[in-house]
Amino acid sequence: MLHFVIIGAGECGARAAFALREKGFNGDITLIGAEPVAPYERPPLSKEGLVLAHEPKFVAALERYADQRIDLRLATHATDIDPIGKVVTLSDGEQLSYDKLLLATGASARSFPGIVGTGERIRMLRTHADATGLRPALLPGRHSAIIGGGFIGLELAATARKLGADVTVIEGLPRVLKRGVPEAVAEVITQRHRDEGVDIRCGETIVAVEEAATGAIVRLGDGQELSADLVLIGIGAQPNVALAEKAGLAVDNGIAVNERLETSGADIYAAGDCCSFPLALYGGRRVRLESWRNAQEQGTLAAANLLGAGDSISAVPWFWSDQYDLTLQIAGLADGATTMLRRDLGEGAFILFHLDETGRLLAASGIGRGNAVARDIRLAEMLIAARAHPDPEALTASHVKLKSLLAA
């Protein structure tokens, strides 16, 4: 009987395991997870999951793994891969032979340069244990300094304000959300945070972050010292590639895979946050995506290709963030755009369309309350996938339904 091993019991790895069964695989499946809890979704960690401190949002109930004959190994990690002998060695010394292997090792929170580790007053957020550990420090009367004005940092800021803590966000770049979010959208987010009482400081240089018995101090380049009860570091993530590198697999801003998620090792695939891949929709440009939906989609695609489908990646990159009652959604990649058009949707909601020099729609960025932009972003995503060259006037005219452009 064939044996497929999946290293990494996050969203991607778990989805792949269940997808294998859904697609009719009847062999053995072993799913290896380093955390002591069953696979769960990570987006809630910086949002309501942190506020309410409830259990993780599990990908599936624990009994479903047994029902589907998925051998879920928790609190276990792989230490070595022998690509020639097709053997994975686990942290408890056990060796597993595999016929095909999927690496879904995810990403780790990026540490701040100069800080070797984190302590009671200096924290990062990547796991449910991290999230529940933060909550007591975010109570009214406490002050949190958040380093990083990206998605994680700003979502944490919104969460901390909901809990009643004072918040300062320190960003080294000239504005928040500098990477991948248009300035007009970032301005809406920035103003909303300031309206909620968040002190956002951009263009700041941090000289040192120091921990003391009663708090932490952030020393800025202009000589200021910022005292806080807690310093949260939210400056992005880095792919977990150590195991792949040790096995001799190619790495290029993540485990390098081709359009079918195949690594440089025979019968070894990689998917989700840990891998970089060529995206045909954007001329074969190699990208790495850290998003919930990408993890889901690549988990399913990896399962199909483990079974020999030979399918290629075709999904449009998609990101979202919830902060207060605002939802930001971005479809596609705006790099290479030469024209930006705005479509107002009412009550402050709007979408920016990004087109290249030929008029092809590359990306769409929207923001509004609740689901105000969701439908139009979904339609824009379909236009992007179709490599459409929509009429610019129609894009900006809110009375023209985007759906009508799909048939043009």
Side-chain angles (χ1 to χ4, degrees):
M1 182 173 287
L2 293 176
H3 183 201
F4 290 176
V5 174
I6 301 171
I7 301 176
E11 181 85 36
C12 183
R15 296 288 177 186
F18 285 110
L20 283 169
R21 289 292 184 236
E22 291 163 5
K23 295 177 184 299
F25 180 63
N26 197 38
D28 293 330
I29 301 172
T30 302
L31 177 60
I32 301 165
E35 293 185 57
V37 294
Y40 58 88
E41 296 183 1
R42 295 189 189 276
L45 297 182
S46 54
K47 308 181 185 75
E48 71 274 13
L50 180 60
V51 175
L52 302 176
H54 51 55
E55 282 193 325
K57 185 178 180 182
F58 294 112
V59 174
L62 199 56
E63 54 268 26
R64 276 201 63 206
Y65 294 88
D67 291 344
Q68 294 296 311
R69 292 188 296 109
I70 296 169
D71 181 10
L72 177 61
R73 309 281 188 94
L74 298 177
T76 303
H77 62 273
T79 60
D80 284 289
I81 300 168
D82 174 2
I84 305 301
K86 291 191 170 184
V87 174
V88 172
T89 301
L90 304 182
S91 50
D92 60 6
E94 183 180 2
Q95 293 191 317
L96 298 176
S97 297
Y98 65 83
D99 293 287
K100 292 189 179 179
L101 175 65
L102 172 62
L103 302 177
T105 50
S108 300
R110 190 181 300 279
S111 60
F112 191 81
I115 298 179
V116 177
T118 57
E120 188 67 24
R121 307 288 180 174
I122 303 173
R123 298 280 188 114
M124 294 192 290
L125 173 60
R126 188 65 188 174
T127 67
H128 183 257
D130 294 338
T132 55
L134 289 174
R135 192 174 188 275
L138 303 180
L139 299 176
R142 302 292 184 90
H143 177 211
S144 292
I146 298 175
I147 298 176
F151 285 134
I152 292 295
L154 293 175
E155 288 175 1
L156 282 170
T159 297
R161 288 300 298 143
K162 285 180 180 177
L163 287 170
D166 296 325
V167 181
T168 302
V169 174
I170 306 162
E171 169 58 55
L173 295 173
R175 66 169 173 86
V176 301
L177 300 172
K178 180 71 173 176
R179 297 184 181 89
V181 177
E183 185 170 2
V185 174
E187 286 177 354
V188 174
I189 294 285
T190 299
Q191 189 56 53
R192 184 52 188 275
H193 276 280
R194 287 179 170 152
D195 290 345
E196 294 286 344
V198 177
D199 180 10
I200 294 182
R201 303 185 185 188
C202 295
E204 294 281 7
T205 301
I206 296 175
V207 176
V209 182
E210 299 171 357
E211 183 167 0
T214 58
I217 298 173
V218 181
R219 300 188 188 281
L220 303 178
D222 60 5
Q224 293 185 69
E225 293 184 358
L226 188 64
S227 297
D229 297 291
L230 181 74
V231 174
L232 300 172
I233 299 173
I235 55 172
Q238 54 191 12
N240 294 326
V241 299
L243 188 64
E245 285 184 318
K246 192 175 179 182
L249 303 181
V251 171
D252 179 3
N253 183 32
I255 303 168
V257 298
N258 63 15
E259 67 277 9
R260 296 180 297 279
L261 298 175
E262 296 167 320
T263 72
S264 59
D267 293 322
I268 303 176
Y269 296 70
D273 292 9
C274 69
C275 77
S276 67
F277 55 90
L279 196 51
L281 191 59
Y282 293 92
R285 168 186 168 191
R286 182 166 288 277
V287 300
R288 188 175 66 83
L289 302 178
E290 296 170 7
S291 77
W292 169 76
R293 194 162 86 178
N294 179 63
Q296 282 196 328
E297 290 174 342
Q298 289 201 348
T300 302
L301 177 63
N305 287 344
L306 284 164
L307 296 173
D311 293 338
S312 297
I313 300 166
S314 60
V316 176
W318 179 83
F319 306 90
W320 107 100
S321 177
D322 289 335
Q323 294 168 41
Y324 310 107
D325 62 346
L326 294 176
T327 295
L328 178 163
Q329 290 196 25
I330 296 176
L333 301 174
D335 298 5
T338 57
T339 301
M340 186 169 70
L341 302 172
R342 175 168 172 146
R343 181 186 185 93
D344 287 302
L345 302 177
E347 298 183 349
F350 64 90
I351 291 178
L352 301 175
F353 296 102
H354 312 272
L355 293 80
D356 70 9
E357 59 187 7
T358 72
R360 179 187 157 194
L361 182 61
L362 296 178
S365 313
I367 190 164
R369 292 182 179 177
N371 293 321
V373 303
R375 183 184 60 183
D376 280 353
I377 286 290
R378 176 58 185 150
L379 291 166
E381 187 180 337
M382 296 168 71
L383 288 166
I384 294 167
R387 304 172 192 248
H389 292 66
D391 177 5
E393 291 189 10
L395 285 177
T396 60
S398 57
H399 66 278
V400 176
K401 295 186 180 301
L402 289 182
K403 190 174 182 179
S404 68
L405 304 182
L406 283 167

